[in-house]
């Protein structure tokens, strides 16, 4: 709504949330918020951002993500946008899905597993197919350019049922 937005991010990001924390959007506008819910099973949480402090112009630039209709496939390409390093100089990283669902011991669940560059601090950023549709949320990566992302289907399950 024009009063609030629900934002999905990683649980490990929200563990550091405090009353002084704020959300910064892609266009530089920022606002406060509060934690709605965090999963105990997967690295997923929801934050309610208070949009009342944003101007009407800033609100108009916000958009909901479009979810994919079909499951991503092995070999599909994706992209992520690094806004963590410098909000005014966004970096786009392209990658390829190695496994759409792969059990990853470090996360204790099935994740989207891919190959891509990334930067520390990008946790919670969207992973998009090449048409710009949301397929998951970056959760972690290795120095060998492996990434793990919570699949959009898992996020939808929590958002709808919790």
């Amino acid at each position: 709504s024009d009063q609030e937005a629900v934002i999905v991010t990683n649980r490990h990001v929200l563990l550091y949330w405090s009353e002084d924390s704020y959300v910064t959007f892609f266009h530089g506008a920022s606002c406060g918020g509060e934690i709605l819910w965090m999963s105990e099973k997967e690295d997923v949480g929801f934050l309610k951002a208070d949009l009342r402090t944003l101007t009407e112009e800033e609100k108009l630039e916000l958009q909901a993500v479009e979810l994919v209709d079909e499951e991503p496939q092995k070999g599909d390409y994706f992209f992520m946008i690094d806004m963590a390093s410098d909000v005014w100089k966004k970096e786009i990283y392209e990658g390829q899905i190695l496994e759409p669902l792969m059990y990853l011991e470090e996360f204790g669940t099935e994740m989207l597993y891919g190959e891509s560059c990334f930067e520390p601090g990008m946790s919670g950023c969207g992973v998009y197919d090449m048409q710009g549709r949301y397929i998951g949320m970056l959760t972690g990566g290795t120095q060998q350019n492996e990434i793990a992302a919570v699949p959009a289907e898992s996020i939808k399950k929590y958002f709808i049922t919790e």
Side-chain angles (χ1 to χ4, degrees), residues 52-148:
R52 293 175 295 178
T53 60
L54 273 58
T55 67
E56 290 305 313
E57 285 179 341
E58 290 169 334
K59 290 178 191 178
L60 287 173
E61 292 185 49
L62 300 178
Q63 297 179 356
V65 296
E66 179 185 349
L67 299 171
V68 293
D69 294 331
E70 63 281 340
E71 295 290 319
Q73 301 296 310
K74 184 176 185 172
D76 286 354
Y77 290 94
F78 63 84
F79 70 93
M80 304 178 295
I81 303 172
D82 173 14
M83 291 180 35
S85 300
D86 183 347
V87 72
W88 301 113
K89 183 177 175 250
K90 298 159 188 72
E91 189 75 38
I92 298 174
Y93 296 110
E94 292 185 12
Q96 189 171 25
I97 296 173
L98 300 175
E99 291 293 338
L101 279 179
M102 181 175 176
Y103 183 82
L104 298 176
E105 186 70 37
E106 11 351 331
F107 299 102
T109 190
E110 288 185 324
M111 304 283 280
L112 184 149
Y113 174 67
E115 180 178 39
S116 177
C117 293
F118 67 95
E119 291 294 327
M122 286 178 60
S123 292
C125 83
V127 179
Y128 301 92
D129 70 9
M130 298 312 278
Q131 287 76 45
R133 298 172 298 190
Y134 188 78
I135 61 172
M137 174 179 57
L138 181 66
T139 300
T142 69
Q143 291 182 347
Q144 290 77 35
N145 290 334
E146 300 166 296
I147 63 106

